[in-house]
Structure formats: C-alpha cells, structure tokens
C-alpha cells in the first residue's frame, strides 16, 4: 500500500453526513457544488471558504450547482456571506456562468434572488444536467 502524497492539493470538500451534505469539487476547470438532503446552508459557505483559501476555487470558474436532491432551508445570511467572500466574476469582461440543476421550476425564484447578490455572474436554472453542462462549456458571445 502506498502512502498518500500529502503535497498534492485537495480539490474537494465534503461537509455533513450520509443523508445531508454539501460536496464541492473541481473537475476539468468546472466547479461542482452538490447539495443533498437538508444540510445547513452555512456548510456551503464553509466548504467554499476552504476551497477558496486553498486556492483551487477561482473567482471566474464556470459553476454547476446541483440542488435536485436539496429539501432544506436556505440561510440567506450564509449566501450573502458567500457573495462577499471574493469579487466573483471580476477578472473577465464576460460574466462567469452558474448553472443550477433542479426539477422544481419554482427554484427559479431562488436563482433570481441569488443572482442579485452575485452581480458579475450569469445564473440559469436547468432541469437537465447535460443541457446545463453544454451551456457552461459554450463560448461566451
């Protein structure tokens, strides 16, 4: 058995338990945030802060937020804190993109509210993960 190389930076944070958790990771330049069950929304803030401080979360990354299995409460103070953590989307002439996955069309109201806090990013709701990924990977106009 090989020893783990501790010099390799971690590009994933998972907080919560088996049923209620937040998983944040980077794959192929894409920031993936998965919220499952009813974790405290503050865990999203904590996980993002860990990745941002470690340097593997960048302010311009296209982001996929999968809330299709989320059924908890939204802590708006944690979301506001997240928006103030960094100057998200400020290093580019084109807005960064954030795609949300949810089968609930009413989640569009949440996306609209979140987009007010992240003014340099474009936020869209999708029901289909593949369509969201195509949008995130498309070249800006």
């Amino acid at each position: 058995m090989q020893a783990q190389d501790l010099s390799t930076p971690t590009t994933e944070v998972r907080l919560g338990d088996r049923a209620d958790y937040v998983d944040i990771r980077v794959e192929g330049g894409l920031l993936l945030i998965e919220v499952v069950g009813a974790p405290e929304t503050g865990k999203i803030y904590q996980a993002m802060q860990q990745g941002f401080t470690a340097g593997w979360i960048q302010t311009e990354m296209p982001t996929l937020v999968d809330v299709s299995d989320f059924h908890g409460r939204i802590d708006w103070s944690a979301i506001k804190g997240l928006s103030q953590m960094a100057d998200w989307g400020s290093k580019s002439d084109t807005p960064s993109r954030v795609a949300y996955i949810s089968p609930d069309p009413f989640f569009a109201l949440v996306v609209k509210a979140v987009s007010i806090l992240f003014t340099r990013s474009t936020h869209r709701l999708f029901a289909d993960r593949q369509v969201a990924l195509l949008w995130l990977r498309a070249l800006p106009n």
Side-chain angles (χ1 to χ4, degrees):
M1 175 157 71
Q2 282 186 317
Q4 180 181 0
D5 180 5
L6 297 178
S7 66
T8 303
T10 300
T11 57
E12 180 172 11
V13 176
R14 186 177 200 147
L15 298 176
D17 56 38
R18 292 176 119 166
D20 305 304
Y21 64 87
V22 174
D23 184 67
I24 298 180
R25 63 190 181 279
V26 173
E27 291 179 6
L30 185 67
L31 178 60
L32 302 169
I33 302 171
E34 184 178 14
V35 186
V36 174
E40 296 173 22
T41 313
K43 290 193 183 305
I44 298 170
Y45 177 86
Q46 293 169 353
M48 287 288 290
Q49 186 175 44
Q50 287 179 29
F52 184 71
T53 301
W56 54 266
I57 293 178
Q58 303 295 313
T59 60
E60 309 304 313
M61 298 179 93
T63 303
L64 180 74
V65 181
D66 188 340
V67 291
S68 55
D69 292 323
F70 172 68
H71 56 266
R73 286 187 17 210
I74 297 173
D75 176 354
W76 287 102
S77 63
I79 302 301
K80 184 174 182 184
L82 182 58
S83 75
Q84 296 170 340
M85 181 185 299
D87 201 4
W88 303 107
S90 65
K91 295 180 182 174
S92 176
D93 292 336
T94 59
S96 58
R97 295 177 183 207
V98 183
Y100 298 82
I101 307 295
S102 176
D104 185 352
F106 291 109
F107 200 80
L109 297 173
V110 173
V111 172
K112 180 89 168 160
V114 170
S115 70
I116 292 169
L117 296 172
F118 295 86
T119 58
R120 294 186 177 135
S121 300
T122 301
H123 300 255
R124 281 191 56 189
L125 178 64
F126 297 87
D128 182 271
R129 184 181 188 93
Q130 294 307 315
V131 174
L133 288 170
L134 285 173
W135 179 73
L136 286 172
R137 292 184 175 130
L139 294 174
N141 295 334

